[in-house]
Amino acid sequence: MPRKKTEINPEEIIKEEPKPAETQAPEQAAEKPAAEKKPAARKLRAKKAAPAEEKAAPAEPVAEKKPAARKPRAKKAAPAEEKAAPAEEKAAPAEPVAEKKPAARKPRAKKAAPAEEAAPVVEAAPVVEAAPVVEAAPVEEAAPVEEAAPVEEAAPVVELPQPRRSVAFIGSECYPFVKTGGLGDVMYALPRALAKLNCDVKVILPRYRCIPQKWQEKMVYRGSFMMDLCSDGRSFYVGIMEYVWDGVVYDFIDNDEFFSYGNPYTNLIDDIPRFCYFGKAALAALNYLEWVPDVIHCHDWQAGLVPVMLRTFFADTPLRDTKSVLTIHNLRFQGIYNIPTVKYWTNLPDHVFNKDVMTQNWVDANMLKGGLTYCDRITTVSNTYAGEIQTEFYGDGLDAHLRFHSGKLRGIVNGIDVEQWDSRSDKLLPFPYGTDDVFDQKRANKLALQEQLGLEQNADKMVLGLISRLTDQKGLDLVNAILPALIDGNTQVVILGTGDARYEDSFRWYENNYKGSVCSYIAYDEALAHRIYAGSDALLVPSLFEPCGLTQLIAMRYGTVPVVRETGGLKDTVQPYNQFTNEGNGFTFDRYDAGLLLDAVNRAKTLYFTNRWRWDEMVRRNMQKDVSWENSARQYRALYLELKP
Ligand code: ADP
Ligand code: GLC
């Protein structure tokens, strides 16, 4: 993964050349049509650009500028472009960045407009807009006939929990637009679950170039403005492209200078400026759209500056009363960089570069730490991990800081979207199944998987799956150590993943040496992941640390028994099998030790080969276990209400 700590000085930034698109989601990149190509990514190197800066309004005033911003919703795409021009003119007449956009965007706006738009207007409008938009002349016109019908249909909505709350999610990835791991799943599933609990949810994301064209085409232009960013007054274009889907509004922050890379993450040299920009642009976009949520829910370091900026730059804007929640999905990645660079790219006041706020080790700025300091609540994705990160081993340098802020920290375990992960209706499976036909169909899926991957086709073999980013977080050193011991003539191993070369290479080596018994598929492949969940008997998740982990949840849902290390969310979601009471969902081990992993796998094998009846009971039990978002989404909602009663 590219999210690594590096230390450089600002001069290096200027010299660095753009990185090529990387491998994470190759199929997505491939979907990008040639016509979509934009000018080669311009470097973010500041220095030369100077001239136009001074004029650009600061974030707050910018937000106040767009009088007509809301009306376009009704009128839709066509007028939108016309508005863009005036907005840009006001803000920064000569800025080249702004001028280049319209041409590329126009056609998209027109295409996307008709169907999707109708829904959004209805859904997004009620709560948030109703209040401020007292002006609403249009309401009078629209009132008579149209209003009556929807109100009747809306009757069942009365059952929704009250009161309605509005939440803006800010994060760096979201399935199906862009996903490199579990964060993408959460950013997709949690907003949908919250929408069902009477929350008005907007998800703010970067508009990366790697978002497949089919989604890009659905986006509708909502407006644009120039935003001050850097300490030398340099300002940047912020475009807002919107897509409304199943009750959730997705707003994509558009800026080719920052988001034209093939991948969401490249290296910190580029990622730091990119997410300094993104955090501020997301807040400025809310003001621009005149959408004042009750709560802003930020995710990981990429949105870490949002709570800081909310209480500094945006303290005197309409967002002044909005509360913020910051969720840690993975404490390993914090957005750490030297102070001068972060100062340059944010222009934040000196006092936030204090050691108790954002500074770490006296010399670095830590974007996640800043967010943890300023937010109103910190959550992480399991209860156990919430405790672990307050210890030195799991705290990644922030344990003391987290202990200090433990009063506002809590763990809420992730769920999965059970419609997206439903073995009965999964179109990616050759043989979909439910609890009634699971055993026959899983055998059929196993045979299909073995055939597809060049393994010996034999449904009696036990197939162990592993689906993961290939990093040391995932306990792959343990797997490497015991892999030969797993291959006993009755067992096969299927690995799907991409990441660190040392793991890719060693797994390839095993495939070569255990042909027919081991398959290492080094790629990111959503469809194959589904087939492995369905075609395996057990799934290995022996992580060194695991904030929550979703693969074990998906596995259980698909009747595949997890073998996990007792850490983080793995500990909270997989109850160890007890052969005496016949309870539990999987096989577990505690210390990070290859021998213990082997022991856990051997316990699984023993049950599988010698007491299939009990094994099958566990499979059924797991498929019926509630791993949905429902319960956890309620906890998030309760948290929002705590902040905004
Ligand atoms: P993390 O976020 O740390 O990567 P999670 O278990 O929370 O781990 O989420 C991983 C998600 O990414 C799951 O949806 C899993 O199916 C998916 N995934 C991981 N690696 C791959 C891959 N190589 N191909 C397809 N999906 C993958
Ligand atoms: C992170 C964690 C993973 C968690 C996911 C979603 O990537 O590594 O454990 O499930 O975020 O919260």
Side-chain angles (χ1 to χ4, degrees):
M1 287 295 292
R3 298 177 278 182
K4 291 262 168 64
K5 300 175 189 178
T6 19
E7 210 178 315
I8 55 127
N9 65 44
E11 268 67 45
E12 289 176 66
I13 298 185
I14 300 164
K15 292 174 211 144
E16 193 65 21
E17 282 311 307
K19 299 282 179 295
E22 287 182 25
T23 48
Q24 280 288 331
E27 77 294 351
Q28 292 183 344
E31 283 184 55
K32 206 76 193 154
E36 198 28 33
K37 279 182 196 152
K38 302 180 185 170
R42 255 161 301 144
K43 279 279 82 178
L44 308 174
R45 335 297 107 138
K47 321 300 170 179
K48 23 184 162 153
E53 285 89 295
E54 311 85 56
K55 310 141 203 170
E60 304 84 327
V62 168
E64 282 150 31
K65 279 187 184 167
K66 38 54 229 58
R70 193 169 307 95
K71 287 165 192 164
R73 296 199 128 211
K75 293 170 193 164
K76 295 313 123 184
E81 290 131 18
E82 294 154 27
K83 268 156 223 150
E88 285 155 14
E89 280 158 25
K90 277 182 227 158
E95 182 58 52
V97 179
E99 281 162 17
K100 290 194 178 166
K101 308 271 154 185
R105 201 170 300 102
K106 279 172 193 164
R108 289 191 192 142
K110 282 171 191 157
K111 275 182 230 156
E116 276 97 30
E117 286 302 289
V121 178
V122 180
E123 281 164 19
V127 175
V128 191
E129 305 210 339
V133 183
V134 183
E135 5 147 333
V139 172
E140 290 161 28
E141 297 156 25
V145 185
E146 286 165 309
E147 297 280 300
V151 170
E152 283 162 31
E153 286 167 24
V157 172
V158 178
E159 292 165 21
L160 290 174
Q162 298 297 332
R164 191 164 168 85
R165 280 291 167 261
S166 52
V167 190
F169 270 56
I170 302 180
S172 58
E173 55 183 89
C174 177
Y175 174 87
F177 311 112
V178 53
K179 166 180 160 184
T180 70
L183 172 62
D185 290 312
V186 175
M187 292 284 290
Y188 164 78
L190 179 55
R192 293 163 74 97
L194 286 167
K196 289 183 190 148
L197 293 176
N198 203 16
C199 288
D200 197 2
V201 195
K202 205 185 252 303
V203 180
I204 305 186
L205 300 161
R207 186 195 183 191
Y208 303 108
R209 175 182 265 204
C210 65
I211 295 174
Q213 183 65 13
K214 75 170 181 181
W215 301 113
Q216 302 265 9
E217 281 171 4
K218 292 179 195 288
M219 299 175 192
V220 175
Y221 174 72
R222 283 296 309 275
S224 62
F225 53 91
M226 294 300 293
M227 178 185 78
D228 274 359
L229 184 69
C230 303
S231 57
D232 62 1
R234 191 175 170 200
S235 64
F236 288 89
Y237 171 87
V238 178
I240 307 170
M241 302 295 288
E242 190 164 281
Y243 173 48
V244 185
W245 183 27
D246 275 359
V248 178
V249 179
Y250 298 87
D251 279 326
F252 296 85
I253 300 297
D254 187 22
N255 181 305
D256 272 2
E257 280 179 282
F258 290 107
F259 303 130
S260 64
Y261 286 74
N263 227 31
Y265 317 114
T266 47
N267 55 63
L268 279 188
I269 296 171
D270 294 311
D271 289 352
I272 292 288
R274 178 177 301 159
F275 292 110
C276 287
Y277 162 85
F278 174 63
K280 191 169 188 182
L283 289 170
L286 288 174
N287 271 342
Y288 179 90
L289 295 168
E290 290 181 9
W291 200 82
V292 180
D294 295 310
V295 175
I296 294 179
H297 192 156
C298 314
H299 297 265
D300 272 354
W301 77 266
Q302 294 89 349
L305 288 184
V306 170
V308 183
M309 292 175 163
L310 189 62
R311 296 286 169 257
T312 51
F313 297 140
F314 292 83
D316 296 321
T317 75
L319 294 173
R320 71 180 72 83
D321 295 324
T322 294
K323 302 291 183 185
S324 64
V325 174
L326 176 55
T327 294
I328 302 170
H329 293 266
N330 195 333
L331 195 59
R332 172 171 286 183
F333 307 110
Q334 300 176 8
I336 299 176
Y337 221 74
N338 65 59
I339 292 175
T341 302
V342 176
K343 264 191 180 165
Y344 173 75
W345 282 104
T346 58
N347 197 25
L348 277 165
D350 286 345
H351 64 82
V352 307
F353 294 92
N354 176 300
K355 76 172 174 50
D356 295 325
V357 181
M358 217 164 106
T359 295
Q360 192 169 351
N361 301 332
W362 309 103
V363 290
D364 288 323
N366 181 328
M367 289 168 59
L368 182 71
K369 183 175 177 182
L372 297 174
T373 311
Y374 272 84
C375 70
D376 297 292
R377 288 286 186 283
I378 303 168
T379 71
T380 187
V381 289
S382 70
N383 225 354
T384 295
Y385 193 61
E388 287 174 341
I389 54 178
Q390 297 178 55
T391 67
E392 194 181 348
F393 180 79
Y394 292 97
D396 265 297
L398 284 184
D399 47 302
H401 193 67
L402 285 162
R403 285 197 298 277
F404 183 81
H405 287 284
S406 59
K408 62 178 183 181
L409 165 68
R410 73 186 61 168
I412 301 180
V413 74
N414 286 336
I416 55 170
D417 187 303
V418 290
E419 285 167 23
Q420 179 195 352
W421 295 106
D422 180 356
S423 56
R424 272 166 311 189
S425 58
D426 191 333
K427 295 199 173 61
L428 297 169
L429 298 188
F431 304 98
Y433 55 93
T435 41
D436 44 341
D437 56 353
V438 52
F439 303 113
D440 289 342
Q441 294 294 81
K442 256 183 105 68
R443 281 173 76 86
N445 280 308
K446 187 194 285 189
L447 289 168
L449 182 69
Q450 288 168 327
E451 184 183 19
Q452 178 183 354
L453 299 181
L455 295 170
E456 183 192 337
Q457 267 189 288
N458 181 344
D460 292 331
K461 302 248 162 158
M462 184 180 190
V463 174
L464 306 175
L466 191 156
I467 300 173
S468 176
R469 289 185 288 116
L470 301 184
T471 78
D472 66 338
Q473 173 191 338
K474 300 294 180 177
L476 304 172
D477 296 311
L478 304 187
V479 178
N480 260 335
I482 64 161
L483 218 143
L486 296 178
I487 306 306
D488 54 8
N490 291 313
T491 310
Q492 296 177 341
V493 177
V494 174
I495 295 166
L496 170 64
T498 170
D500 294 357
R502 61 181 165 137
Y503 298 120
E504 294 188 349
D505 293 345
S506 64
F507 291 142
R508 281 197 185 103
W509 187 89
Y510 278 125
E511 177 179 276
N512 252 330
N513 281 268
Y514 295 92
K515 284 223 165 68
S517 295
V518 175
C519 171
S520 302
Y521 201 98
I522 305 301
Y524 183 95
D525 189 325
E526 196 79 34
L528 182 57
H530 283 243
R531 285 167 153 245
I532 295 174
Y533 286 121
S536 304
D537 296 295
L539 190 90
L540 305 181
V541 199
S543 306
L544 174 63
F545 69 94
E546 196 60 78
C548 178
L550 301 178
T551 59
Q552 82 280 9
L553 301 181
I554 302 168
M556 287 191 275
R557 189 81 187 156
Y558 277 54
T560 301
V561 173
V563 178
V564 308
R565 175 159 176 260
E566 291 167 18
T567 182
L570 299 171
K571 185 172 181 182
D572 294 355
T573 56
V574 180
Q575 188 194 344
Y577 177 67
N578 181 327
Q579 59 177 330
F580 303 107
T581 61
N582 193 36
E583 289 169 333
N585 318 104
F587 294 87
T588 72
F589 63 103
D590 53 7
R591 274 180 298 111
Y592 192 72
D593 181 309
L596 295 186
L597 169 60
L598 183 59
D599 177 63
V601 176
N602 283 340
R603 278 182 277 133
K605 279 186 187 177
T606 305
L607 190 73
Y608 182 84
F609 287 115
T610 65
N611 200 340
R612 187 64 64 86
W613 174 254
R614 291 293 195 210
W615 177 276
D616 288 352
E617 280 181 341
M618 179 151 46
V619 166
R620 280 223 175 85
R621 196 159 56 236
N622 286 358
M623 290 178 78
Q624 283 157 354
K625 185 176 157 74
D626 182 8
V627 290
S628 75
W629 265 106
E630 208 176 307
N631 187 26
S632 301
R634 279 182 201 285
Q635 293 182 50
Y636 277 112
R637 188 187 141 80
L639 183 74
Y640 303 152
L641 282 168
E642 222 174 279
L643 293 171
K644 280 282 183 129

